Structures are given as C-alpha cells and as structure tokens.
Amino acid sequence: MSRIYLDHAATTPVAPEVVEAMLPYLSGAFGNTSSIHSFGQEARGAVEKAREHIASFIGARPEEIVFTGSGTESDNFVIKGAAHALKDKGNHIITSAVEHHAVLETCRFLEEQNFRVTYLPVDEYGLVDPNDVEKAVTDKTILISVMHANNEIGTIEPIAEIGAIARSRGIYFHTDAVQTFGHIPVDVGEMNVDFLSASAHKLCGPKGVGMAYIRRGTRMTPLLHGGDQEKRLRASTLNVPGIIGFGRAVEIAKSEMDSEMQRLTSLRDRLISTLLSSIGNSRLNGHPVKRLPNNANISIAFAEGEGMLLSLDMEGIAVSTGSACTSSSLEPSHVLTAIGLSHELAHGSLRFTLGRTTTSAEIDRLIEVLPGIVERLRDTSPLGRKG
Ligand SMILES: *Cc1c(COP(=O)(O)O)cnc(C)c1O
C-alpha cells in the first residue's frame, strides 16, 4: 500500500533537489566556515550564497539573516534576546493566545524573570484584532510577537497592520513565519517586522536548521556565546550542509510558490467542501479565506480525533489531531480552545496539511475513506449518537 502523507505542517519530506545540493557538503566540501584555508573558503562561499538567496526572498539584506538550529531556537533567540537587550526600557511583551509553544513557553519563562506578558485573545476564526494590540500597548511595552499563520488552523494574521502599530509606537515586532515562509509571500518591508523566524524542514529542507531575520540596527542579546560566528549573534560552527539545503529549498519555493499556492488552494477547497457535505455535524476551523493554501482543519462531532487518526493511519493516510507537539497529551489544543470550540469538538478535530508531493488522487482517497471511518466510530462511540 502506498502511503499518503497529509501532515506537512509537522514536517515535510526533503526535496530530492535539496538532498542533491547537500551531498557535496557532507563529504568533500566539509570545511569549517571559520577556517582560513581553501576548505573553509569553499564552505563559507556556499553558505554566503545561501544567505543571499534567503535574504532576497524576503526583501532583507544578507547581513540581517542569522542561521540557527530550528524555528524553536529562532523564536527563543528573538524573544529572549530582545527582552534582555531592552530590559532597561521596559518589561512588557504582547503576544497572542494561539502562538506556537516555542513562543508561548518562552514568554512564560520570561514571566518568571519579572517580565509581564499580555496574551491577546482571538476571534472565532483565530484572528488577532489589531485594535486589541493598540489597546494593550503601555509605556513599558518593548516587544510584540504575533505569528504570521497558525500551524493548527491555518489562519493568516493581519501582520502588516500590527507591524504598523508597533512601528508607530517605537516597539519591536516579531513574527513567527515558520508556516508561511516558502508557502505564501513573506516580505519584511511590507510586513513591518523587525524580527522573523523560519525553519527549513517546513519547506522541503532538512531538519535542524532555521533562521532569524534581525533588522539592521535593532538591539539584540545572543542566546549562545562562544565563537564569533554570525556576527557574534549565534556562536556555533555553522551547519553547512543544512544551510545549503535550506538555500536550495528557498530557490525551489521561489520558482514554484505561485503555482503551488493555486494548486494546493484548489485541492484544499475540494477536500473541505467534500468532507463537510459528506460528514454530518462537521465544521471548518479557522478562516474560510484568510488561511494557508495547504491547511484544512475540521471538527467532527461525536467522533474521537485519536480514533479517526488511527483508523486513517491503518489505511496508510497520515494526518494530525491538532499540533504534533500536543497530540500526545489529552488536553485539548490551546488554539481550538482559543477560537471557542467545546472540549468535545476540539477532541474531534483533524488537521490535513498538503504539500509539494500531494496529488489530487491522494485527496480523492481521503475523501473516499473518511466518511466510512466516521460512521463506524460514531456507531461504536460511547457518546452514543449519530451525526
Ligand atoms: C514547526 C513550528 C515551529 C518550530 O520549528 P522547529 O524548526 O520544528 O523547531 C515554530 N513555530 C511554528 C508556527 C511551527 O509550525
């Protein structure tokens, strides 16, 4: 049985072109970018080329890109680094209730260090209201962090508007763009951001490499101290093969993004409309239009998400119930709770995230098997009611 992967928000398969680009840097071209000899020069040259591709892709300068070990590290670096650097100016941070744990847990950690954090609520679609941001600002606010698009429900936030508010008040603005970078347009100028996080493995690049965009002239304290790599903002020997793979993945995204956005949006909309009409008592989570082209999140009443996931897995179809990080706990997802879903509906939710290798036939297969699975689970469910 050929397996169907519909969990691209958790991670993506590495593109064959990316593997090919990385291979030389895992063998012959193994130099350390800090070395002066030809091995070092070779690695350094390749890394700087990748940095230029990535910077130009988001309208940044190469020197504003800091390579990190993950999206999580970028979020930690930016939030802790800006908070530390600005602690003489204020101690208040504004974020949203639907951020990734990499942002939320970093903020909780800072609350233990005498910072104050406002977690803004969202509406039924998962949208942050820019007016709420404006109202939350105080003379002690030093940083605002709102994600570009949500990893669970796919909602795209009004980043440019929030950025304009931050800029007019002289407050630094960070966006976690891990789900959007390489998937929909990301431009640091248009978005009015000072900091941005991205991760290679969410766009067909390798795991273990990310980047932080740090606008020139911003104050920032490093997380890792040591050598003078990355302009002393992130000590560590650079992950050269990873960075080369990241650069290649960005080149692919640059050339394919427009057509992929169209293709995936149409597959996504067919998936959503067919499932909502063939499964009673089901609803779409997130915004109908302001959503990632590859994300569909559906709640199905009187059926357990976990049971549906396992039944689909037995059919060779991989999906997720909420975010991968929370799927092992029984707590309902903080995102589904924040948009006002009952515990029951939150537990009956499935996330389908499409990607570069997703075909129309794979969507057909999902649409074919899921209604039967739901019916079977509802028949045997202790909830005892059919939808
Ligand atoms: C995956 C993800 C992260 C974490 O990135 P890693 O590279 O896996 O650490 C952070 N934020 C969002 C929105 C994500 O989807």
Side-chain angles (χ1 to χ4, degrees), residues 9-10 70-73 75 100 102 147 149 151 176 178-179 199 201-202:
S70 64
T72 299
E73 183 189 326
D75 286 339
H100 190 273
M147 70 202 313
N151 47 299
D176 174 336
V178 174
Q179 288 292 334
S199 180
H201 78 97
K202 301 287 176 82

Side-chain angles (χ1 to χ4, degrees), residues 196-378:
L196 178 144
S197 304
S199 180
H201 78 97
K202 301 287 176 82
L203 62 140
C204 299
K207 293 169 185 56
V209 58
M211 71 91 169
Y213 158 76
I214 312 286
R215 184 180 293 282
R216 194 165 69 168
T218 48
R219 287 161 67 191
M220 177 59 67
T221 304
L223 211 53
L224 302 182
H225 300 85
D228 60 6
Q229 294 94 351
E230 300 298 86
K231 297 197 277 85
R232 305 205 71 134
L233 280 173
R234 204 262 185 183
S236 286
T237 300
L238 271 71
N239 172 2
V240 178
I243 291 166
I244 303 309
F246 194 3
R248 187 74 186 95
V250 165
E251 282 184 284
I252 295 170
K254 210 183 273 188
S255 69
E256 295 183 356
M257 191 165 72
D258 290 346
S259 58
E260 277 296 90
M261 280 173 59
Q262 275 194 26
R263 189 182 74 88
L264 295 176
T265 300
S266 117
L267 287 179
R268 174 201 75 187
D269 288 344
R270 185 158 68 83
L271 184 161
I272 292 171
S273 62
T274 312
L275 288 183
L276 291 187
S277 64
S278 62
I279 301 172
N281 283 307
S282 58
R283 53 158 279 168
L284 177 70
N285 296 317
H287 198 279
V289 183
K290 294 175 189 168
R291 74 182 303 127
L292 289 169
N294 75 331
N295 174 296
N297 188 309
I298 287 170
S299 279
I300 298 172
F302 321 122
E304 262 280 313
E306 208 83 345
M308 292 188 281
L309 183 150
L310 292 172
S311 300
L312 283 169
D313 193 41
M314 288 199 287
E315 298 285 339
I317 304 174
V319 305
S320 154
T321 53
S323 83
C325 321
T326 53
S327 61
S328 57
S329 83
L330 282 173
E331 280 295 296
S333 134
H334 66 287
V335 176
L336 298 177
T337 306
I339 62 171
L341 282 198
S342 65
H343 277 212
E344 203 242 317
L345 269 185
H347 278 305
S349 80
L350 289 178
R351 180 186 71 180
F352 311 94
T353 45
L354 288 48
R356 191 177 187 227
T357 56
T358 305
T359 64
S360 188
E362 291 180 337
I363 300 305
D364 292 340
R365 175 87 186 127
L366 170 74
I367 289 167
E368 185 191 319
V369 303
L370 186 56
I373 288 173
V374 171
E375 194 167 340
R376 196 156 41 74
L377 289 171
R378 280 176 174 170

